Amino acid sequence: MGTTDDAYRLVECSDCGALAVGGDEVGCCGSAMAPTGRTVTDATDGDVADGAPASDDLDRPGVSEEPPEPDLDELLRVVFGMSPAELDVCLCVMEHGTLTTAELTERVGYDRSVVARHLNHLADLGVVEKRRQILDRGGDVYVYTPEPPETVRRRFRETFLRWAAAGVDRIDDLSREKVEGLAEAESATEWTVFREP
């Protein structure tokens, strides 16, 4: 697995056990959260210490010590809503530098309207700069230039961390719904079992 940036390690609240991804600036319950000793890729849940999965977890099918390493193309598509075509456009701008929509259309082989739509999304993400350029023969055209690599990495990282935080909230919602469902089921006289008719 790749190395985790020191600024983005798994930290835990010593009071409530909450987990977060961040550095020394992350706080909870009125104090700074402390590193868990696990990297972000090692953590499975808040009940596991020192990155080692609980022994009963290892006996369950599909549970391993480390999750699979994420594929970069898949991350970009899922987190940033990029289609394979948009990823192609993004990589083409990163590789070739400043290009117009027409030049990009020739290079990637997609319809001009598709390329223009993807370029606008990439500009909204902050990974390419969109600017109007005056032509010598008159008129103007939009050109797209990649932002510096460090800027692109920082913007992707920030967006990913917001996405991950929203994902954790969704998982917490699922847990709450499950607990509420179990509480309701325990108060019922019998369990409902779903079977094929």
Side-chain angles (χ1 to χ4, degrees):
M1 289 221 156
T3 59
T4 303
D5 188 324
D6 287 340
Y8 295 97
R9 61 185 184 270
L10 192 64
V11 292
E12 185 172 15
C13 177
S14 58
D15 294 328
C16 70
L19 294 173
V21 176
D24 297 331
E25 77 285 352
V26 180
C28 184
C29 296
S31 61
M33 296 174 81
T36 64
R38 295 172 282 177
T39 63
V40 174
T41 56
D42 292 334
T44 55
D45 64 41
D47 298 326
V48 179
D50 301 323
S55 58
D56 59 340
D57 285 346
L58 292 176
D59 297 333
R60 291 189 318 204
V63 176
S64 64
E65 290 188 31
E66 285 190 36
E69 185 170 343
D71 177 66
L72 182 58
D73 290 356
E74 185 178 352
L75 271 175
L76 293 174
R77 284 194 305 270
V78 171
V79 176
F80 304 102
M82 289 186 183
S83 66
E86 186 167 14
L87 183 57
D88 289 344
V89 170
C90 179
L91 295 175
C92 187
V93 174
M94 298 300 164
E95 183 177 332
H96 296 289
T98 302
L99 297 167
T100 65
T101 305
E103 292 168 334
L104 273 162
T105 299
E106 289 176 21
R107 289 185 186 268
V108 296
Y110 296 114
D111 184 74
R112 185 183 176 109
S113 63
V114 170
V115 172
R117 184 176 67 247
H118 292 325
L119 286 167
N120 285 327
H121 183 226
L122 294 170
D124 290 343
L125 285 174
V127 298
V128 299
E129 177 189 3
K130 176 182 178 180
R131 61 185 164 77
R132 186 171 286 176
Q133 184 176 5
I134 305 297
L135 300 172
D136 293 336
R137 64 182 184 274
D140 58 13
V141 65
Y142 283 109
V143 293
Y144 299 86
T145 306
E147 293 287 354
E150 188 50 46
T151 300
V152 172
R153 280 191 292 272
R154 187 181 73 249
R155 290 195 174 133
F156 278 164
R157 184 181 295 132
E158 289 169 356
T159 303
F160 171 76
L161 290 172
R162 284 195 303 272
W163 177 86
V168 169
D169 288 344
R170 296 292 301 268
I171 290 170
D172 287 345
D173 289 343
L174 176 64
S175 297
R176 261 191 302 282
E177 291 171 10
K178 184 177 178 182
V179 169
E180 289 167 2
L182 286 174
E184 290 173 11
E186 287 176 0
S187 65
T189 57
E190 62 183 58
W191 289 91
T192 302
V193 180
F194 295 96
R195 296 188 176 128
E196 293 290 326

